[in-house]
Amino acid sequence: MRLPNKTRAIEEAIAGIKDGDTVMVGGFGVPGTPMTLIHALVDHGAQNLTLVKNDANEPGMGIDHLLQSGQVARLITTHLGLNSNAIAQMNSGALEVEFNAQGILAERIRAGGAGLGAVLSDIGIDTELAQGKQVVEMDGKSWLVEPALRADAALIHADRADPFGNLAYVATAQNFNPLMAMAATCVIAEVETLLPLGGLEADAIHTPGIFVDHVVELGQLSEEYAVVRR
Amino acid sequence: MRLPNKTRAIEEAIAGIKDGDTVMVGGFGVPGTPMTLIHALVDHGAQNLTLVKNDANEPGMGIDHLLQSGQVARLITTHLGLNSNAIAQMNSGALEVEFNAQGILAERIRAGGAGLGAVLSDIGIDTELAQGKQVVEMDGKSWLVEPALRADAALIHADRADPFGNLAYVATAQNFNPLMAMAATCVIAEVETLLPLGGLEADAIHTPGIFVDHVVELGQLSEEYAVVRR
Amino acid sequence: MVARAAREIAPGMVVNLGIGLPTRVVNHLSADFPVCLHTENGLSGIGPTLGYDKADRNLIDAGGAYVSTVPGSACFDSATSFAIVRSGRLDLTMLGAFEVSATGDLANWKIPGKFSPGAGGGIELAQKARRVVVLTTQTDRVGNPKLKEACSLPLTARGCVTRIFTDMAVIDVTPAGFALVETADGVSAAEVAEATDAPLALPDTAIPTF
Amino acid sequence: MVARAAREIAPGMVVNLGIGLPTRVVNHLSADFPVCLHTENGLSGIGPTLGYDKADRNLIDAGGAYVSTVPGSACFDSATSFAIVRSGRLDLTMLGAFEVSATGDLANWKIPGKFSPGAGGGIELAQKARRVVVLTTQTDRVGNPKLKEACSLPLTARGCVTRIFTDMAVIDVTPAGFALVETADGVSAAEVAEATDAPLALPDTAIPTF
């Protein structure tokens, strides 16, 4: 037995994304944001997308490119504070935004990746964030139903990978990547370093390659990945 | 800032377990089963325990010692096939057994560790495993409510640790350990190798030390940890 | 039958081999065959089973056998392992059976009053793998057929089984019930039908043997 | 006030410092003080903040500042990070505030029509940390008190705040409402009461200063 090879050219990896798709995008700020895959999705041109991403990056960076190109109809997120473009699009009605508590967004994505229907949570139950949510009584207590989220595609950034798609992340670039890598029908990972099979220690793999469909090796990293000097 | 030290003598680590407590025990077969902590719990003598463990090990091994000493009133598990003592106790009524589908037990424990109330699942929904479970309708489909599980204490086996309680597991000794290490009020880890702070790579830690209360360094491993020749 | 079942695995698949007979399929896969074997206790990329002398005490499959790894193996916890199963990332699972019904219902975990050790991970495998096939003897130890019009034992999952490999035949579960696909060398279609407790459709053409 | 707030951290605690003023508390903790700082984007064991020249592009806190690690730091994903928060493993969180009510309600994420970028991780921190304290100015930019009988803005969490550190005072939230604990050097109790839009109980004894 040997493990199958999933390395692809970036255009081939991204080709299956269609108009109207839901696309999850890893990253919290710059760390873990798949900058190169995002540019490829701009070039690809799929329209009317629903994005799922923790934040909207900053103007001129990351998913802001997809907002600026008008490809995004809806954004499921936790915080837009650093992207004035995103807030302007939201306020003008050009962009529909659904806010989630950050850890609840993480759990909804993970639940999608784990084949569950929902999680029950009490986060925000007595605030306006509970409005419109289904409530379940269990053992005399009320719980909010937080439905699982799945996507047609997930764009992932990893530090290291092997050709089967086993992924390892570094530092705070992990964030939503391992969760989104479980929760999409087509999981596309851009990786800084591609190692041969066996190059990653079995116990130090964050995302088992079973979840990953396409592995794209990055060349020289663009300035967008660098330290942001504000 | 430096991270606090949680290393303890085994008797001190286990002393807080009380009669009637719920205790989670890691392991799937031999790998990951905290054999030494189990013996310490036998010596400690707490009665009327509810254990949560994937399996009941084999006669004369692992939690079988707690079954034989009569300390266990109830066992929440997935499979007892290799322990005829456990099956005999169940059939005689001496031991109350609750069976869960294996991945659902894992998710219920994880949900407890994640501060959730429950997960919604369709596993076993049209079989006898659904009997007695609360059903929720969501988007026109029925889902079983699988309540979160928490414990008073969790007994964990790890390969490596540092004094703050950061843990790393090897091979298939991971199994339920990282989940149970999230889900108990008092988490006690026995570790084969204790490294100084910084001895574990930050990205290769499976269980962050925040979850862990007591770290017990093992000396020479007993025969119970060895390869089982059947 | 084990060798025949091994041919059911297509290149590139992710496969879980259930406890018992299915585990033996691993011995019929060549070293360069592209496949990822998964075991629910937390390993992807299973290599050949090892003897006790070469065994790693921390490396077992869900049946407790000591296994090896291949380049690119990954280890993970039980929640992640069943996330793989429930989210449909298993292309195929091969399971043992007490009974299979003509509608593909599977019973393989409980015989009330006799055998009830718990289902382990079997329910999730049977309910969620993209394709579920069964590897079992055509009849039980006392000669009773395991393939029946309806299961009498508690079900593992409904309508999940699509194909059954036995010591006598390969049999598909079709919308019209059991259909004979192949017979073992030296076994007649009539013998298979006799050992099946439900109607068995025969093909119009010659029946291949394995 | 930041230095005073830092003294609220007891040895051995697990602490999350919210975005803004609370982040600065890290600069008032000595190198040998036993504490574990957590940031919700996936790091335990935060060390001092770094300048751009020494920054690791992949190592930030939830506010986007470039941080360092300490021996024993651990990295984890966002689900694990909030599992820590929601399961009650944070001994203390220090948060910023727009408004705090006399019953400990906190509003810090939305000003309808003006500021609604989303709450990020703030709701879970406020609702689930074992102890929630607020670090904020006593009044907003135009001089309006932030401590009020009831919040007028959408709530982050109800009844969560137990103590408030401001530029003027340390104030507890008690079952009877706000209670003055300490004043800043040179600030009188009357001035604090004047800058508080709710009754403020004074201690019977002399009021310490910080």
Side-chain angles (χ1 to χ4, degrees):
Chain A
M1 291 86 71
R2 65 177 171 83
L3 296 174
N5 186 319
K6 302 174 186 174
T7 55
R8 310 273 189 266
I10 192 166
E11 300 78 10
E12 186 188 348
I14 213 107
I17 297 179
K18 303 176 307 299
D19 290 355
D21 271 1
T22 295
V23 180
M24 292 179 176
V25 184
F28 187 120
V30 169
T33 299
M35 304 291 185
T36 306
L37 290 177
I38 289 167
H39 280 286
L41 184 52
V42 171
D43 294 344
H44 171 284
Q47 300 294 312
N48 195 29
L49 300 174
T50 293
L51 292 193
V52 183
K53 188 174 189 304
N54 175 66
D55 56 276
N57 294 113
E58 300 180 38
M61 296 175 62
I63 66 162
D64 188 58
H65 296 297
L66 288 162
L67 297 173
Q68 294 299 312
S69 66
Q71 291 171 263
V72 186
R74 188 152 179 270
L75 177 61
I76 300 174
T77 188
T78 79
H79 193 270
L80 304 180
L82 293 177
N83 190 337
S84 52
N85 290 337
I87 290 178
Q89 285 198 1
M90 172 176 72
N91 290 342
S92 76
L95 178 68
E96 184 188 344
V97 176
E98 177 191 317
F99 286 114
N100 285 243
Q102 198 165 94
I104 296 304
L105 182 63
E107 287 295 331
R108 292 182 63 194
I109 294 166
R110 192 193 166 279
L116 303 170
V119 298
L120 302 188
S121 156
D122 63 355
I123 295 300
I125 194 159
D126 52 6
T127 74
E128 69 170 54
L129 270 125
Q131 286 169 15
K133 291 186 179 171
Q134 184 176 349
V135 176
V136 166
E137 303 294 318
M138 182 177 67
D139 297 337
K141 185 177 162 175
S142 296
W143 298 88
L144 299 177
V145 177
E146 300 284 0
L149 271 175
R150 282 191 63 86
D152 300 294
L155 309 186
I156 302 300
H157 178 90
D159 181 63
R160 304 178 305 285
D162 66 23
F164 183 58
N166 290 306
L167 307 180
Y169 312 95
V170 290
T172 59
Q174 196 170 153
N175 55 67
F176 282 77
N177 280 301
L179 312 169
M180 291 175 170
M182 298 165 69
T185 305
C186 178
V187 175
I188 308 165
E190 58 165 56
V191 308
E192 299 192 18
T193 305
L194 183 64
L195 300 164
L197 282 176
L200 291 171
E201 201 195 338
D203 296 324
I205 289 166
H206 293 114
T207 294
I210 286 181
F211 287 116
V212 177
D213 298 283
H214 305 301
V215 176
V216 175
E217 186 178 11
L218 294 171
Q220 178 77 32
L221 295 187
S222 70
E223 264 303 299
E224 245 178 287
Y225 292 93
V227 168
V228 181
R229 291 164 190 258
R230 290 183 184 90
Chain B
M1 292 86 69
R2 64 175 171 84
L3 296 174
N5 187 318
K6 303 175 186 173
T7 54
R8 310 271 188 269
I10 192 165
E11 299 78 10
E12 185 188 348
I14 213 109
I17 297 178
K18 303 178 306 299
D19 289 355
D21 272 2
T22 295
V23 180
M24 292 179 176
V25 184
F28 187 121
V30 169
T33 299
M35 304 291 185
T36 306
L37 290 177
I38 290 167
H39 280 286
L41 184 52
V42 171
D43 294 344
H44 171 284
Q47 300 294 313
N48 195 29
L49 300 174
T50 293
L51 292 192
V52 183
K53 189 174 189 301
N54 174 67
D55 57 276
N57 295 113
E58 301 179 38
M61 296 176 61
I63 66 163
D64 188 57
H65 297 297
L66 287 162
L67 297 174
Q68 294 299 313
S69 66
Q71 292 172 262
V72 185
R74 188 154 179 269
L75 177 61
I76 301 174
T77 189
T78 80
H79 192 270
L80 304 180
L82 293 177
N83 190 338
S84 52
N85 291 338
I87 289 178
Q89 284 199 0
M90 172 176 74
N91 289 342
S92 77
L95 178 68
E96 183 189 344
V97 176
E98 177 192 316
F99 287 114
N100 285 242
Q102 198 165 93
I104 296 304
L105 182 63
E107 287 296 329
R108 292 182 62 195
I109 295 166
R110 191 192 167 281
L116 303 170
V119 297
L120 302 188
S121 156
D122 63 356
I123 295 300
I125 193 158
D126 52 6
T127 73
E128 69 170 55
L129 270 124
Q131 285 169 14
K133 292 187 178 170
Q134 185 177 350
V135 176
V136 166
E137 303 294 319
M138 182 177 68
D139 298 338
K141 186 178 162 175
S142 296
W143 297 88
L144 299 177
V145 177
E146 299 284 1
L149 272 175
R150 281 192 64 85
D152 300 293
L155 309 185
I156 302 300
H157 178 90
D159 181 64
R160 304 178 304 284
D162 66 25
F164 183 59
N166 290 307
L167 307 180
Y169 312 95
V170 291
T172 58
Q174 196 170 153
N175 53 67
F176 282 77
N177 280 300
L179 312 169
M180 292 174 169
M182 300 165 68
T185 305
C186 179
V187 175
I188 309 164
E190 58 164 56
V191 308
E192 298 191 20
T193 305
L194 182 65
L195 300 164
L197 282 176
L200 291 171
E201 200 195 338
D203 297 324
I205 289 166
H206 294 114
T207 295
I210 285 182
F211 287 116
V212 177
D213 298 282
H214 305 301
V215 177
V216 175
E217 187 178 11
L218 294 171
Q220 177 78 30
L221 296 187
S222 70
E223 265 302 300
E224 245 178 286
Y225 293 93
V227 168
V228 182
R229 293 165 187 255
R230 290 184 184 87
Chain C
M1 62 185 283
V2 176
R4 174 59 190 89
R7 297 208 305 275
E8 197 69 10
I9 299 176
M13 275 186 169
V14 177
V15 181
N16 181 295
L17 301 174
I19 298 170
L21 270 179
T23 309
R24 297 196 206 164
V25 169
V26 68
N27 300 322
H28 295 269
L29 296 169
S30 70
D32 66 345
F33 189 83
V35 65
C36 177
L37 299 183
H38 164 273
T39 180
E40 60 266 32
N41 59 318
L43 175 66
S44 60
I46 308 175
T49 307
L50 299 179
Y52 295 130
D53 291 335
K54 294 191 174 175
D56 175 343
R57 66 184 164 92
N58 286 313
L59 195 62
I60 63 173
D61 68 15
Y66 290 95
V67 296
S68 59
T69 57
V70 299
S73 287
C75 300
F76 33 80
D77 67 35
S78 298
T80 302
S81 193
F82 281 93
I84 289 169
V85 176
R86 286 190 309 267
S87 67
R89 286 279 175 186
L90 288 187
D91 297 302
L92 176 69
T93 189
M94 296 192 175
L95 300 174
F98 297 153
E99 295 177 339
V100 180
S101 82
T103 56
D105 294 351
L106 174 66
N108 73 351
W109 74 280
K110 187 175 185 178
I111 301 174
K114 284 191 184 171
F115 178 82
S116 55
I123 292 171
E124 288 156 285
L125 290 169
Q127 192 175 332
K128 293 297 185 181
R130 293 187 187 185
R131 179 162 159 80
V132 177
V133 302
V134 159
L135 201 54
T136 186
T137 51
Q138 186 80 26
T139 59
D140 68 16
R141 288 178 201 175
V142 295
N144 294 318
K146 290 188 164 191
L147 280 62
K148 307 172 75 166
E149 191 64 45
C151 293
S152 61
L153 297 172
L155 295 185
T156 308
R158 282 184 202 279
C160 61
V161 178
T162 55
R163 177 166 279 194
I164 304 136
F165 299 90
T166 78
D167 48 330
M168 296 180 73
V170 178
I171 296 168
D172 275 355
V173 177
T174 74
F178 293 123
L180 185 63
V181 178
E182 297 176 26
T183 56
D185 199 22
V187 176
S188 71
E191 286 170 319
V192 179
E194 175 66 28
T196 302
D197 199 6
L200 181 70
L202 303 185
D204 295 334
T205 53
I207 301 168
T209 59
F210 66 90
Chain D
M1 63 187 279
V2 176
R4 173 61 190 88
R7 296 208 303 275
E8 197 70 10
I9 300 176
M13 275 187 168
V14 177
V15 181
N16 181 296
L17 301 173
I19 297 171
L21 271 178
T23 309
R24 296 194 206 164
V25 169
V26 68
N27 300 321
H28 296 268
L29 297 169
S30 70
D32 66 345
F33 189 83
V35 65
C36 177
L37 299 183
H38 164 272
T39 180
E40 60 266 33
N41 58 318
L43 175 66
S44 61
I46 307 176
T49 308
L50 297 179
Y52 294 130
D53 290 335
K54 294 190 172 176
D56 174 344
R57 66 184 164 91
N58 287 313
L59 194 61
I60 63 174
D61 68 15
Y66 290 94
V67 296
S68 58
T69 57
V70 298
S73 287
C75 300
F76 32 80
D77 68 35
S78 298
T80 303
S81 192
F82 281 93
I84 288 168
V85 176
R86 286 190 309 268
S87 67
R89 285 280 177 186
L90 289 186
D91 297 303
L92 176 68
T93 189
M94 296 193 175
L95 300 174
F98 298 152
E99 296 178 340
V100 181
S101 84
T103 55
D105 294 350
L106 174 65
N108 74 352
W109 73 281
K110 187 175 185 180
I111 302 174
K114 284 190 183 170
F115 178 83
S116 55
I123 293 172
E124 286 155 287
L125 290 169
Q127 191 174 331
K128 292 297 184 181
R130 292 188 188 186
R131 179 161 158 83
V132 178
V133 303
V134 159
L135 201 53
T136 186
T137 53
Q138 186 79 27
T139 59
D140 66 16
R141 289 179 200 175
V142 295
N144 294 318
K146 290 188 166 193
L147 278 61
K148 307 172 75 165
E149 191 64 46
C151 294
S152 62
L153 297 171
L155 295 184
T156 309
R158 282 185 203 279
C160 60
V161 179
T162 55
R163 177 166 279 197
I164 304 137
F165 299 91
T166 78
D167 48 330
M168 296 179 72
V170 177
I171 295 168
D172 274 354
V173 177
T174 74
F178 293 124
L180 186 63
V181 179
E182 297 176 26
T183 56
D185 198 23
V187 175
S188 71
E191 286 170 319
V192 178
E194 174 67 27
T196 302
D197 200 5
L200 180 69
L202 305 185
D204 295 333
T205 53
I207 301 168
T209 59
F210 65 90

